[in-house]
Every structure is written in structure tokens, then in C-alpha cells.
Amino acid sequence: MAGDLDIITIGRSSVDLYGSQVGGRLEDMGSFDKYIGGSPTNIACGTARLGLKSAVITGVGDEHMGRFIREQLVREGVDVTGVKTDPDRLTALVLLGIRDRESFPLIFYRENCADMGLTEADIDEGFIRSARAVVATGTHLSHQTVEAATLKALRIAREAGLRTALDIDYRPNLWGVAGHGDGESRFVESAEVTRKLQATLHLFDLIVGTEEEFHIAGGSTDTLKALRAVRAVSDATLVCKRGPMGASAFEGEIPNSLDDGQTGPGFPIEVFNVLGAGDGFMSGLLTGWMTDTDWPTALTYANACGALAVSRHGCTPAYPSWDELRFFLDRGVQRPDLRNDAALEQVHWATNRKGDWSDIRVFAFDHRSQMEEMDGADADRIAAFKGLCLDAALAHADGRAGHGVLCDGRLGADALHRAAGTGLWIGRPVEWPGSRPLRLEPQVGPDCGGLAEWPREQVVKCLCFAHPQDDDAMWADQLATIQRLYTSCRRNALEFLLEVIPSKVAPMDDETTATVIQRIYDQGVFPDWWKLEPFRTEAAWTDAVTAIERNDPRTRGIVVLGLDAPETELRDSFALAARFPLVKGFAVGRTIFGQAARDWFAGTIDDATAVQTMTERYARLCDIWETAKQDARKDSAA
């Protein structure tokens, strides 16, 4: 653990398989999007996105889906100390769909699943005491073993003076009072469920539920009577969620109207998907609660997070970051279908990207035509050489952060596939080499549909030769291709790197690249990364950086390319580029591999020598970049 925690949630985790098609039966779904799920897991992620230090206690299987949950939690910034890997049970699965505005079918695959294997022995007292609050959900009170684990965590929390909260999270079929096909059902009366819940309600400082959930907790379908029944056994603040009417908080006696509770404003938005919206609501509410805001403010956060959640596909992926929440509250609802609000979606995308790439050194061997033109090269030998390039990148990176590769999928597929999961940043080109106007590799497809087959960790890299002097027809053609590509990147949750090299088209001045950049933004395209040639003047860098930051203050940044320059020239260009914090690193190829490739294709060096040569050259460039950054920091501090 990295320091004390704000909250620990405990309970369900699952892999959610969301039907990709909207408006059809679950029976007819042809494909699914994979997310993490389960109420406590969603809440841990949602609060982490909003800035809390969050952890979850749950169980996952010792298999691919269990590893997916654990790794995704880490990517979301959630502490996984309490995530148990169960060697005997499988990770829970949930299949979900969006049938229409009122129907959201789902099937739970949770029979003896890993998170139901939690026991009291899995609750570490020191870990519980490291937090300021413990958040439980009702499902894990439904079975004797996991109930015992949950109650132990709550007892420790109460003894330590921690805050405790309950999301009632009533799922009738998970309590055994509805069938497997009734996963969508949110309320079935059950005196036994009411008895079990009421036996634990005194353990909480905050209890949250929908009206139907308070009906089961209070044993009455009259909401006010149910709330009073809960109040009779608990002094907790009760927060009743009321759908489009927002929510009401009750700290003391229950009044005669739900409208008389403390409230926050609701938001007039279009409902797209209610699944997981309650967990988004809870994330916002807990953020307010744990930062000691008043209840109207906490409920404002909660209602806004819930509104954003019901507007998008998926549960955890739909939840906002803190910056996004503030943007939404400050700007207000511009259109009711929030998922189609381009400015809001850009903030959502940019503030929820995973991975810290604030410093990046990329070995680029995505070259295709340049290698094909070398003596002794053919497709098979080029593929083999690109494998050696990857070996060199991995040898220098040695598991350290901040390293990456650019590799193509046509001639370098084997190396590209092997790079997956190594921790390297991975960029993959889509442009047809040398094309102008811009054309794409055939595998990408005329509608860019081929990107649906790409792993999510790969960054889509596109080189466009553009210049302000291009005529209108050239600009229209190239911008249309870039727009189509960018749209597909967003649809497939792939980051987009755009490389522009105006100097290959016509002479440049200090404003040339900045002008090209502005034309791209004017098209509504927001690259995650820019790859720019090494400018010779500070003014050119200033103009380019200003154009990017003016249009997209949340961009990942810039990498500077090499253009086959010798190391001495790159030393000078790196020194200039490093003065600008938006330049995060370099992406250089031929300076590293050029001579080794010619020698290897000619048969004058063997594999080991080629790898050693490229490793050393890559290492020297990394050292040159690091020195440039250090010198820039010294100059800035002086």
C-alpha cells in the first residue's frame, strides 16, 4: 500500500460482458465489450477516478479473467492488497444488454464464484485500519461465509472509529428469491432478506439505496414507512435515490415527505443505460462524504456522476474523473444525450486514459518501404529483423518504465504480437508508406473497421505529409481520412498519434507546423499524441506547443522524430525540444537501426551483433535525451 487509504469496499467483482449492439435482445447479441464490474469494484474505481485513495476486498480466479480484473484495478488506481486470488474458483461473469430505455437484461454467472470464497481469514485487521472508511454492499450479506467476512471487516472498522457505509445493492436473484433469468429484477419482497439486512443496519453511519432497496431493508413498500423502519434500528444518514428526481438525505427523523430531505440538483439528461448508474452515484456521494462537504454538495456530486453513468455504455468506463465532474458541473447540460456531447466526451476520454507516459523513449522500426529498398531484404527477412529490433528495445528497457516501440502489423506482425504485455508503449502505423494524399494500409479497411481487431494497448500512429500551401482539394482529402481514422480510434478506445512532416512537402518557417496543427483541430480531431519533426528554432517549437495547448490542454504530449539524423544532430535537436515540457520524449528509428539493418541484410553481421549494436545506439539516445531534460530543468530553475 502506498500510504493510508480513504475507503475500502468489500464484496462482488466480475467481468462484465456488455452487448455491443443496442436495441436488441440479449439472445441476439453478436459481440460484447469487456469491462470490470460488481458494485464494490465499480465503487472503488469510481472513487479512485474522483481522487480518493480506494481499495477493494474481493476474490478473483487464478485465470485470465481474474488477472484482467486485478490489472484493470491497478490501471484505475485502486489498491489491490485485498484482492484474493482463489485457486479453486472461477471469476464471476455477468452478461448484460441494453434492450431499450426501460429494459436492461442481465445474467449473473456467480455459482460458487471467486468473490463468494471470501472468508474471515481473508480480512486483515491492519489493512482495514489503514483506511478511513469501509463500504459494504448488500449482496455479501446473503451468504453465511461472505457475510462473516463482511461483518468482521465492519466490526474492526467500528472498533477503530472508522466510518462505515452500506450500499443496499439488492439483487433478488443473488439472494435466491428470483431465478437466473430475472437478473434485471430489482425488487421481490422477502421477509428473510429484510430480517438479515435489519440485523446489520446498526453497523453503518451511511446507508444508501433506491426506494425499492429501502422497501426491502424496511420491510414495507411504502417508502416513508420503510425509511422509518430503518431509522428505528440505525442512526445512519439515510440517502434515498429517486431516479430522475435526484436523491434525498435524512440525518435524523424521517419527515412526512421525501421532498423534505436534504437534496442536490438533478440533471435533465437522456437515459441510455441504467446498469451501474447507482455505483456511479455512490462514488460521487462517497467523495463528498469523505471530503466533509455538506449533504447538498455530496448529493450534487452523486447526481452528476449518476447522470454521466446512465449516458454511456458500461459501468466503470462510464464514470467521470474529478476534472470531468468539475467540467460538467461548471458548464452544465448542453444536450441531454451526454454521450454525444463532443466537448464532454473529449474531457472524459482525456482524463481517464491509463498509463503514465510523461517520459517516453521510443525505438521506431515501423519503417516498411525503407527496409524493402535495402539490398538483401524480403518480407520474411524484414520480419525477422524487426524481431531483433524488439529484442534490442527490450534489452535496454529491462522492465523499466518510459520505453516504447513503433512497429507495423504488415511486415512486423510477429514482433508486434510479441511486444504485447511487455510494459512497452506500443505504436502501430496505419498510413500507406509515402502516400500523399494520405492513404491507409489495406488491413485498416475503407471504413477503418480493421481497428476493431487491434489490442487496446496499441496506439494508432498515422503519418500525414501536409503543408499550409496545399490546395483545398488536398486538404479536404487528407482531413477526411484523418477524421475517419480518428473517429474509429475513439470508437475502439484506441489512442491516436498523428505525425506531420511539412518539410517533405515545401519549405517551412516557424509558423508552418503550428498552422497545420490548427487545421487538424479545426476539423474536430484531437490526437492523443503528436509526432513532430525536430525544429531548428525555439520560435517554431513555441508556436507548435502553443497551438496544441490552446486547443487541447489535456493532450498526452509530443514526441520528436529523428529523420535519420546522426546522433550529433539529434543531441542539438533534443536539447532544444526538451525546453518544452509538452515534449515527452522521442521516437527515432533509422539512427538506431539503419546501419545494423544494412549490415544484417547483407549478411556481414549476425543476429547477436545486430541486437547489441541497436541496443547500444538506443541506450545512447536515451542518455542524450535524459541529459537534455536535466539541462532544461537546470536552465528553468536558474
Side-chain angles (χ1 to χ4, degrees):
M1 289 180 296
D4 291 341
L5 296 164
D6 291 313
I7 69 165
I8 296 174
T9 66
I10 181 170
R12 288 190 289 133
S13 62
S14 64
V15 173
D16 285 359
L17 299 176
Y18 258 84
S20 303
Q21 294 78 47
V22 175
R25 303 185 310 157
L26 196 56
E27 295 90 330
D28 299 324
M29 291 296 161
S31 58
F32 295 84
D33 291 313
K34 176 167 67 76
Y35 311 124
I36 54 174
S39 183
T41 303
N42 288 337
I43 293 168
C45 293
T47 50
R49 287 189 173 194
L50 292 170
L52 295 187
K53 296 179 181 178
S54 305
V56 60
I57 296 175
T58 189
V60 298
D62 187 14
E63 21 77 354
H64 306 78
M65 294 299 100
R67 289 190 290 275
F68 164 68
I69 290 176
R70 182 182 294 275
E71 291 171 9
Q72 186 62 29
L73 285 169
V74 171
R75 283 189 284 266
E76 292 284 353
V78 175
D79 188 297
V80 294
T81 302
V83 179
K84 171 186 176 181
T85 298
D86 192 319
D88 300 317
R89 296 176 174 86
L90 292 172
T91 304
L93 300 177
V94 184
L95 268 63
L96 314 93
I98 302 174
R99 179 67 179 88
D100 52 41
R101 297 181 191 275
E102 305 294 334
S103 179
F104 306 90
L106 68 160
I107 305 170
F108 292 98
Y109 292 82
R110 294 185 46 80
E111 185 67 29
N112 197 32
C113 66
D115 69 59
M116 294 299 284
L118 287 178
T119 69
E120 289 184 271
D122 299 315
I123 307 301
D124 179 83
E125 182 170 353
F127 181 56
I128 297 297
R129 288 176 175 269
S130 73
R132 296 196 294 130
V134 171
V135 180
T137 55
T139 301
H140 267 52
L141 300 173
S142 65
H143 186 278
Q144 183 177 1
T145 304
V146 290
E147 178 189 30
T150 303
L151 293 178
K152 178 182 177 182
L154 291 169
R155 285 195 299 270
I156 294 169
R158 301 291 288 186
E159 291 168 2
L162 310 182
R163 299 183 184 189
T164 55
L166 172 69
D167 187 331
I168 299 172
D169 183 38
Y170 181 45
R171 302 284 187 169
N173 70 331
L174 299 184
W175 282 84
V177 296
H180 292 309
D182 293 324
E184 187 180 0
S185 172
R186 296 305 178 98
F187 181 73
V188 174
E189 287 188 86
S190 169
E192 177 60 19
V193 173
T194 298
R195 183 192 67 77
K196 291 271 285 185
L197 287 173
Q198 290 198 354
T200 64
L201 297 182
H202 65 285
L203 297 172
F204 298 101
D205 302 308
L206 172 65
I207 300 174
V208 181
T210 62
E211 291 192 55
E212 291 82 4
E213 287 170 336
F214 274 107
H215 293 169
I216 194 67
S220 172
T221 54
D222 181 307
T223 303
L224 290 173
K225 287 183 180 179
L227 287 166
R228 290 182 180 123
V230 172
R231 172 61 71 232
V233 295
S234 174
D235 295 328
T237 298
L238 308 182
V239 174
C240 182
K241 296 182 287 186
R242 304 175 64 196
M245 293 180 288
S248 299
F250 306 97
E251 293 184 280
E253 183 178 347
I254 305 302
N256 292 326
S257 171
L258 296 178
D259 295 332
D260 293 334
Q262 298 184 67
T263 62
F267 299 91
I269 53 90
E270 176 185 289
V271 174
F272 177 67
N273 169 34
V274 302
L275 299 172
D279 301 333
F281 176 97
M282 189 69 168
S283 298
L285 187 74
L286 289 171
T287 299
W289 188 47
M290 295 304 297
T291 54
D292 296 320
T293 67
D294 56 28
W295 284 112
T297 300
L299 289 167
T300 299
Y301 295 167
N303 290 338
C305 289
L308 291 163
V310 301
S311 301
R312 295 173 175 145
H313 199 262
C315 298
T316 290
Y319 302 155
S321 65
W322 176 252
D323 285 350
E324 179 188 353
L325 178 60
R326 294 309 320 171
F327 177 85
F328 177 67
L329 292 175
D330 292 343
R331 179 171 170 265
V333 176
Q334 301 294 303
R335 54 186 298 171
D337 53 337
L338 299 183
R339 68 190 180 283
N340 294 318
D341 183 329
L344 179 63
E345 286 303 287
Q346 173 60 21
V347 176
H348 177 67
W349 169 264
T351 59
N352 287 299
R353 286 177 298 222
K354 308 307 175 191
D356 178 7
W357 298 109
S358 54
D359 184 37
I360 185 167
R361 310 161 186 86
V362 177
F363 179 5
F365 49 91
D366 58 323
H367 306 66
R368 286 142 288 166
S369 59
Q370 295 93 332
M371 288 193 185
E372 288 173 319
E373 292 168 358
M374 290 184 179
D375 291 339
D378 59 30
D380 290 340
R381 299 204 73 208
I382 291 173
F385 182 75
K386 287 175 182 279
L388 301 181
C389 292
L390 177 61
D391 290 340
L394 290 169
H396 175 66
D398 195 26
R400 295 171 296 175
H403 296 81
V405 295
L406 272 168
C407 181
D408 65 288
R410 176 161 54 88
L411 296 173
D414 290 343
L416 185 69
H417 297 162
R418 186 156 58 89
T422 61
L424 293 173
W425 180 96
I426 304 171
R428 179 177 173 183
V430 293
E431 77 282 350
W432 185 256
S435 61
R436 178 174 148 83
L438 174 64
R439 295 294 179 261
L440 305 180
E441 288 269 6
Q443 298 95 324
V444 177
D447 63 348
C448 299
L451 296 185
E453 300 175 0
W454 285 34
R456 296 286 173 86
E457 67 178 318
Q458 293 181 1
V459 176
V460 178
K461 172 259 181 184
C462 181
L463 165 58
C464 180
F465 297 102
H467 194 281
Q469 295 178 7
D470 288 340
D471 60 30
D472 290 344
M474 177 65 74
W475 269 112
D477 191 320
Q478 301 211 116
L479 287 174
T481 301
I482 292 171
Q483 177 72 64
R484 189 167 65 253
L485 180 63
Y486 169 73
T487 301
S488 184
C489 287
R490 285 291 183 272
R491 181 183 301 118
N492 291 289
L494 295 165
E495 292 190 27
F496 179 43
L497 180 153
L498 184 58
E499 177 179 6
V500 293
I501 309 182
S503 68
K504 297 294 185 181
V505 178
M508 290 176 57
D509 59 27
D510 291 340
E511 298 178 358
T512 299
T513 298
T515 302
V516 172
I517 288 169
Q518 188 60 56
R519 287 290 297 266
I520 302 298
Y521 282 123
D522 289 345
Q523 188 71 13
V525 173
F526 291 80
D528 300 278
W529 295 93
W530 288 93
K531 188 180 177 196
L532 304 180
E533 54 192 302
F535 305 130
R536 297 183 181 274
T537 69
E538 187 169 354
W541 273 115
T542 298
D543 288 348
V545 167
T546 300
I548 294 170
E549 292 182 332
R550 180 176 61 245
N551 289 279
D552 185 10
R554 301 177 181 86
T555 184
R556 285 281 203 184
I558 301 167
V559 290
V560 60
L561 58 95
L563 290 178
D564 200 17
E567 286 183 12
T568 53
E569 288 186 21
L570 288 180
R571 189 183 305 273
D572 293 338
S573 65
F574 283 6
L576 182 56
R579 297 178 192 175
F580 297 85
L582 194 63
V583 181
K584 306 302 182 183
F586 65 82
V588 172
R590 284 171 289 176
T591 307
I592 300 172
F593 75 72
Q595 189 59 51
R598 287 186 287 271
D599 293 343
W600 187 85
F601 286 127
T604 60
I605 62 172
D606 60 14
D607 292 0
T609 303
V611 171
Q612 180 180 352
T613 299
M614 292 188 291
T615 302
E616 292 171 353
R617 292 190 175 188
Y618 182 33
R620 286 200 300 272
L621 280 186
C622 290
D623 290 342
I624 291 171
W625 174 251
E626 185 60 34
T627 299
K629 286 199 309 171
Q630 292 175 0
D631 291 345
R633 284 194 289 266
K634 290 176 184 177
D635 292 344
S636 177

